[in-house]
Amino acid sequence: MRRLTEKEEEIMQYLWENGPMFVREILERYPDPKPHYNTISTVVRLLEEKGFVDHKVYGSTYQYFAAISREDYKGKALRKVVSDYFDNSYTNMVSTLIEEESLSVDELKGLIEKIEKGKQL
């Protein structure tokens, strides 16, 4: 799966959070100064070509919606990061998070407890 650019990810976030939208509705969500309508329209069409977005036709306009869920994208993106940067090892990733103090020992213990409880169900 291809990775999203920053602009593509912004639009996907709007679609994931708000459901189907017309380009003008996506544009309304942007803070000032807003990008040009054609810029948003182009990025949405690129997302459609990549398979992330699909559309419904309403007369002469299109309403776009996410063709992939946020959860599916997160999982695939995480697997790609683990593959590319951590030798395909989640242990290496967690070790790095601990070393960089992005994950505390208490948080790690909480995750272990969550995993153990999940296995008991």
Side-chain angles (χ1 to χ4, degrees):
M1 176 177 67
R2 293 180 174 174
R3 293 181 76 162
L4 296 174
T5 66
E6 187 176 330
K7 294 291 181 197
E8 291 170 338
E9 193 167 321
E10 281 178 357
I11 290 172
M12 289 304 298
Q13 293 292 349
Y14 290 134
L15 292 172
W16 285 324
E17 291 167 9
N18 301 287
M21 300 174 78
F22 296 97
V23 171
R24 65 175 166 72
E25 293 173 316
I26 296 170
L27 186 60
E28 289 169 3
R29 301 269 189 237
Y30 276 85
D32 289 327
K34 296 182 185 304
H36 194 276
Y37 178 95
N38 290 342
T39 301
I40 300 303
S41 181
T42 299
V43 174
V44 170
R45 285 194 310 270
L46 289 171
L47 283 166
E48 190 169 24
E49 287 176 18
K50 291 180 177 182
F52 289 98
V53 169
D54 204 348
H55 71 271
K56 290 182 187 177
V57 178
Y58 291 94
S60 63
T61 189
Y62 295 165
Q63 184 182 48
Y64 295 94
F65 58 91
I68 182 171
S69 73
R70 178 184 279 163
E71 291 72 28
D72 284 345
Y73 181 73
K74 276 193 314 189
K76 289 175 183 174
L78 180 60
R79 283 190 292 279
K80 179 92 171 107
V81 167
V82 171
S83 172
D84 290 352
Y85 298 101
F86 298 100
D87 298 323
N88 216 23
S89 168
Y90 285 87
T91 302
N92 288 348
M93 181 188 71
V94 172
S95 294
T96 300
L97 292 172
I98 292 168
E99 288 169 12
E100 293 182 0
E101 298 181 5
S102 298
L103 183 67
S104 72
V105 173
D106 288 338
E107 289 171 322
L108 184 58
K109 286 178 184 177
L111 288 173
I112 292 168
E113 287 177 22
K114 189 175 182 180
I115 291 167
E116 288 173 344
K117 285 180 184 177
K119 288 184 177 181
Q120 292 174 356
L121 297 177

